[in-house]
């Protein structure tokens, strides 16, 4: 199995990604406006602290024996009150933003899941399940963590920086020049580092998604891996995938962790210059000791948020890279809309016709060539042929998981493209070789797809599928909970559950794609008999490799390399001694 290494690339539209994130925030604009007001209040109170501290120092520095302790305590008390209220407001802001982040995370995940439900089957054929899950979970968490913490930090930092600069200019414009000179250096460095780190964060998100996809794939096939003693090879493959993810993480954080310390060094140089120049100004009597103290405190307040912003930008880049992956999924082309005027398929009789159908999953690679088929209502049509002949592709086209490249498929005389997809698919019951059951009771799994199914209906379907005796041997009968993906029941039992589900579904057409591949021959024959009885007057399409199971089919379609090479009944095809006869006899040699 080849292991692809993630290539680092820059995000395609950082500005667009940021604007779309702001749209999510805009839904809570009044809450955010309240948060902004609280931020302003909290920061104004916090900015009063250094000014009050400077006033207290001036009172204490009045000279020996001239300290006005009453005024010193007055300023100290006011400073304590300001800081306490500021801290309480900050706590309230953080709590509110946690709730906002939770709401946005919920909405974003719902948008992603709703989008997944609207995507065509081809999208899931092209993308690993683990990578999709990574976008729903990991990437969304990164974005919403940024919103809950970094948005508040940015608002707070902006107010603090502007307020501190204003106070420094008020105290001493000369000393402020030292701070102002360092701003362009900080900005230039931040921009430089952004260009370095952002593409690396994009690579990190992509590599994590690919690693999740690999792990999900290997866990699903764990029994097969152990059966073939392939553990060491899989371990080596995971080592390469893991190394790529670790390298992507290292590359992103290698540059990210240098931003804060470098910005701190720039600000410390600024502080040293302030101390030197402030001493000179104090000696000449231009500024007082209290003013210098206040200025130093304001410079720290000014530089602190700049350092914090540098670290926030580091996290923001990571969030933007994750958000871009989320929005890329949300921008995927959805399943084509129904034609204008498309009607619901009602009063289905089950007459299906394929005329001159050609189709390929990729341009220039045709799988089906000029396929013709007529299935009258109530007939059993079997589609057989070697692996890769195009049997499952026919089913995909009947269900409109894909549309034909040329030709047409009709149901009851109407082109299926003139029906709504929901109406067309609702006319079919479908049982696939890859069974799907979910975490829930056996009753819920059988009743899936038929709203308000009664216990009698579910039990009748289970009896027809020959799984009722097994269910009754379980501790809770039909209320027994099966684990996710049916891990606590056998493959054959899962397949019988899905067959019972299809039998319960009231429809005129049935598709069985190797639906009895996981049951024994005796049970399979019983199921076939039960199906023929229950599906009377209903059109059935059956894909089967075990040709002994479709001998009673009304018509057998033999497909090879996308072409119908033979068609007829079992007896007529055996008499021909052609391709079908060779396939049938090969199973008994």
């Amino acid at each position: 199995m080849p292991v692809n290494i993630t290539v680092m690339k820059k995000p395609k539209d950082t500005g667009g990604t940021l604007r779309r994130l702001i749209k999510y925030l805009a839904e809570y604009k009044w809450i955010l406006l309240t948060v902004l007001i609280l931020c302003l209040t909290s920061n104004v109170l916090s900015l009063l602290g250094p000014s009050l501290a400077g006033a207290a120092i001036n009172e204490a520095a009045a000279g020996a024996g001239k300290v006005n302790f009453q005024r010193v305590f007055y300023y100290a008390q006011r400073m304590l009150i300001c800081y306490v209220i500021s801290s309480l407001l900050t706590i309230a802001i953080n709590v509110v933003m946690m709730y906002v982040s939770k709401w946005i995370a919920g909405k974003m995940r719902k948008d992603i899941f709703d989008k997944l439900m609207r995507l065509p089957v081809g999208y899931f054929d092209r993308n690993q399940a683990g990578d999709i899950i990574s976008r729903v979970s990991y990437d969304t968490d990164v974005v919403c963590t940024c919103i809950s913490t970094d948005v508040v930090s940015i608002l707070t930092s902006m107010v603090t920086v502007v307020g501190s600069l204003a106070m420094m200019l008020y105290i001493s414009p000369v000393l402020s020049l030292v701070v102002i000179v360092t701003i362009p250096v900080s900005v230039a460095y931040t921009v430089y580092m952004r260009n370095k780190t952002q593409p690396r964060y994009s690579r990190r998100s992509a590599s994590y998604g690919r690693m999740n996809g690999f792990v999900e794939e290997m866990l699903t096939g764990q029994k097969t891996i152990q059966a073939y003693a392939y553990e060491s090879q899989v371990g080596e493959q995971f080592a390469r995938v893991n190394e790529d993810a670790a390298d992507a993480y290292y590359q992103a954080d290698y540059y990210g962790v240098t931003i804060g310390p470098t910005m701190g060094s720039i600000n410390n140089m600024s502080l040293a210059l302030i101390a030197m120049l402030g001493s000179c100004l104090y000696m000449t009597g231009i500024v007082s000791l209290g003013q210098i103290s206040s200025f130093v405190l304001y410079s720290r307040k000014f530089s602190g948020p700049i350092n914090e912003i540098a670290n926030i930008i580091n996290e923001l880049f990571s969030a933007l890279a994750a958000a871009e992956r989320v929005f890329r999924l949300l921008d995927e082309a959805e399943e084509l809309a129904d034609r204008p005027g498309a009607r619901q398929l009602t009063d289905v009789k089950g007459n299906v016709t394929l005329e001159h159908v050609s189709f390929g999953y990729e341009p220039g690679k045709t799988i089906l060539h000029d396929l013709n088929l007529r299935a009258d209502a109530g007939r059993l049509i079997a589609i057989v042929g070697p692996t890769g002949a195009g049997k499952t592709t026919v089913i995909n086209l009947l269900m409109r998981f894909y549309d034909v490249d040329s030709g047409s498929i009709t149901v009851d005389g109407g082109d299926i493209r003139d029906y709504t997809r929901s109406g067309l698919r609702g006319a079919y019951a479908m049982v696939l070789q890859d069974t799907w059951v979910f975490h829930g009771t056996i009753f819920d799994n059988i009743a899936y797809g038929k709203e308000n199914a009664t216990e009698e209906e579910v039990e009748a379907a289970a009896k027809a599928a020959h799984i009722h005796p097994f269910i009754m041997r379980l501790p809770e009968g039909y209320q027994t909970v099966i684990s996710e993906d049916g891990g606590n029941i056998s493959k054959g039992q899962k397949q019988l559950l899905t067959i019972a589900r299809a039998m319960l579904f009231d429809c005129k057409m049935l598709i069985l794609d190797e639906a009895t591949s996981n049951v024994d021959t005796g049970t399979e024959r019983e199921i076939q008999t039960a199906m023929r009885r229950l599906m009377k007057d209903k059109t059935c399409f059956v894909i089967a490799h075990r040709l002994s199971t479709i001998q009673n089919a009304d018509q057998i379609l033999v497909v090879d390399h996308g072409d119908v090479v033979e068609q007829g009944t079992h007896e007529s095809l055996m008499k021909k001694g052609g391709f079908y006869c060779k396939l049938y006899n090969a199973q008994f040699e």
Side-chain angles (χ1 to χ4, degrees):
M1 181 184 300
V3 179
N4 298 320
I5 301 301
T6 308
V7 178
M8 183 179 65
K9 57 183 179 179
K10 288 188 177 182
K12 295 179 179 179
D13 186 13
T14 300
T17 301
L18 193 57
R19 285 191 293 271
R20 293 178 71 169
L21 280 175
I22 291 174
K23 286 183 181 179
Y24 276 93
L25 289 168
E27 295 189 22
Y28 307 97
K29 55 182 178 294
W30 298 114
I31 295 177
L32 293 175
L33 180 61
T34 303
V35 168
L36 179 60
I37 293 171
L38 292 176
C39 272
L40 288 171
T41 305
S42 174
N43 279 273
V44 167
L45 291 172
S46 179
L47 288 169
L48 288 174
S51 178
L52 293 169
I57 290 172
N58 280 334
E59 293 293 339
K66 298 181 180 179
V67 177
N68 189 340
F69 286 103
Q70 184 177 358
R71 297 296 296 173
V72 170
F73 290 141
Y74 171 84
Y75 289 124
Q77 185 183 44
R78 297 295 184 277
M79 184 169 60
L80 179 62
I81 291 172
C82 287
Y83 282 140
V84 169
I85 295 176
S86 176
S87 298
L88 292 175
L89 290 175
T90 300
I91 293 172
I93 291 166
N94 288 328
V95 170
V96 171
M97 287 306 297
M98 284 177 61
Y99 278 102
V100 171
S101 173
K102 181 184 73 172
W103 296 330
I104 291 176
K107 185 178 186 309
M108 187 173 286
R109 287 198 177 96
K110 185 177 185 303
D111 288 346
I112 296 172
F113 192 82
D114 290 345
K115 178 71 176 187
L116 291 173
M117 295 299 102
R118 298 192 300 269
L119 289 176
V121 171
Y123 177 82
F124 301 97
D125 292 339
R126 296 189 307 268
N127 294 272
Q128 287 182 308
D131 182 61
I132 298 172
I133 293 170
S134 179
R135 301 191 192 203
V136 177
S137 57
Y138 172 74
D139 290 331
T140 305
D141 282 341
V142 171
V143 172
C144 294
T145 299
C146 174
I147 290 173
S148 65
T149 58
D150 297 340
V151 169
V152 174
S153 298
I154 289 172
L155 289 173
T156 302
S157 298
M158 289 174 61
V159 174
T160 301
V161 167
V162 173
S164 298
L165 182 60
M167 293 302 293
M168 286 189 293
L169 288 170
Y170 173 76
I171 293 171
S172 175
V174 177
L175 286 175
S176 300
L177 290 174
V178 176
V179 178
I180 293 173
V181 167
T182 62
I183 293 177
V185 178
S186 301
V187 172
Y189 176 74
T190 302
V191 171
Y192 170 77
M193 291 305 295
R194 190 197 77 159
N195 295 331
K196 284 282 188 182
T197 58
Q198 195 161 356
R200 287 170 169 80
Y201 280 114
S202 296
R203 180 196 169 197
R204 186 177 77 173
S205 292
S207 64
Y208 269 48
R210 197 176 61 81
M211 182 177 68
N212 288 340
F214 181 84
V215 171
E216 188 268 343
E217 189 177 70
M218 293 303 105
L219 289 178
T220 302
Q222 186 63 27
K223 290 182 180 178
T224 303
I225 292 170
Q226 292 179 343
Y228 282 88
Y230 206 70
E231 294 92 338
S232 60
Q233 291 90 331
V234 169
E236 291 172 2
Q237 292 171 0
F238 177 75
R240 292 195 293 273
V241 174
N242 188 34
E243 183 180 358
D244 178 52
D247 180 66
Y249 188 93
Y250 169 79
Q251 290 292 332
D253 280 14
Y254 173 80
Y255 286 95
V257 297
T258 62
I259 296 177
T262 304
M263 294 295 292
S265 298
I266 294 172
N267 293 321
N268 287 332
M269 290 173 58
S270 173
L271 185 61
L273 293 173
I274 290 170
M276 292 173 58
L277 183 58
S279 299
C280 296
L281 294 177
Y282 175 73
M283 295 298 294
T284 57
I286 297 176
V287 295
S288 66
L289 187 60
Q291 287 178 310
I292 292 176
S293 300
S294 295
F295 192 94
V296 169
L297 291 175
Y298 280 121
S299 70
R300 300 303 293 174
K301 278 189 169 293
F302 179 83
S303 62
I306 290 180
N307 287 336
E308 192 172 349
I309 288 174
N311 291 323
I312 291 171
I313 288 174
N314 186 29
E315 296 174 6
L316 185 62
F317 293 159
S318 177
L320 287 174
E324 192 170 53
R325 277 170 46 83
V326 170
F327 293 138
R328 200 178 300 138
L329 187 154
L330 292 175
D331 290 337
E332 286 287 339
E334 297 181 4
E335 197 167 47
L336 292 176
D338 294 324
R339 284 179 175 178
R343 62 189 189 276
Q344 284 288 335
L345 179 56
T346 56
D347 300 324
V348 182
K349 295 180 176 62
N351 294 302
V352 181
T353 304
L354 287 78
E355 295 182 345
H356 306 292
V357 169
S358 295
F359 172 77
Y361 292 102
E362 298 179 15
K365 296 182 179 180
T366 304
I367 295 176
L368 297 179
H369 312 90
D370 195 33
L371 177 63
N372 293 279
L373 168 66
R374 178 180 177 84
D376 294 328
R379 309 278 282 182
L380 173 59
I381 308 299
I383 305 173
V384 302
T387 301
K391 303 184 297 297
T392 301
T393 300
V394 174
I395 301 304
N396 286 337
L397 296 178
L398 289 174
M399 295 290 289
R400 275 202 79 190
F401 292 144
Y402 296 89
D403 280 327
V404 298
D405 294 336
S406 63
S408 65
I409 301 176
T410 62
V411 174
D412 295 341
D415 193 309
I416 61 173
R417 289 168 291 192
D418 293 329
Y419 297 124
T420 62
R421 280 189 176 84
S422 60
L424 173 68
R425 293 169 183 171
Y428 286 96
M430 194 171 186
V431 180
L432 302 177
Q433 181 179 8
D434 296 328
T435 56
W436 178 73
V437 294
F438 55 87
H439 179 76
T441 65
I442 287 179
F443 178 90
D444 292 337
N445 271 274
I446 296 177
Y448 184 84
K450 182 170 183 179
E451 191 174 359
N452 301 320
T454 64
E455 292 184 10
E456 292 76 15
E457 290 174 327
V458 170
E459 187 171 323
K463 287 178 179 177
H466 297 273
I467 196 173
H468 176 73
F470 163 73
I471 296 173
M472 297 310 296
R473 289 196 298 270
L474 296 173
E476 303 294 331
Y478 283 86
Q479 297 306 313
T480 300
V481 176
I482 59 178
S483 64
E484 185 179 354
D485 198 31
N488 55 346
I489 59 177
S490 72
K491 279 191 174 183
Q493 290 157 353
K494 283 194 293 183
Q495 200 151 50
L496 290 172
L497 282 178
T498 59
I499 291 171
R501 180 191 298 164
M503 288 180 169
L504 180 64
F505 194 47
D506 185 19
C507 61
K508 290 292 184 180
M509 295 181 287
L510 173 67
I511 291 175
L512 303 172
D513 187 354
E514 287 294 320
T516 57
S517 61
N518 290 321
V519 298
D520 61 85
T521 304
T523 303
E524 184 176 45
R525 288 175 179 171
E526 293 176 348
I527 292 173
Q528 292 288 344
T529 303
M531 281 184 175
R532 293 290 290 174
R533 183 175 66 252
L534 291 175
M535 302 306 290
K536 185 178 179 182
D537 299 327
K538 298 178 182 180
T539 308
C540 301
F541 295 91
V542 178
I543 292 178
H545 281 113
R546 284 189 279 184
L547 303 185
S548 59
T549 63
I550 47 93
Q551 294 181 22
N552 295 323
D554 297 303
Q555 185 178 13
I556 298 173
L557 196 72
V558 185
V559 182
D560 186 31
H561 294 97
D563 295 313
V564 178
V565 294
E566 291 178 341
Q567 56 181 315
T569 63
H570 172 73
E571 291 78 9
S572 65
L573 291 174
M574 289 298 292
K575 286 179 181 179
K576 282 183 180 181
F579 192 80
Y580 175 82
C581 183
K582 292 178 181 178
L583 285 177
Y584 185 85
N585 291 329
Q587 295 189 358
F588 299 98
E589 290 178 355

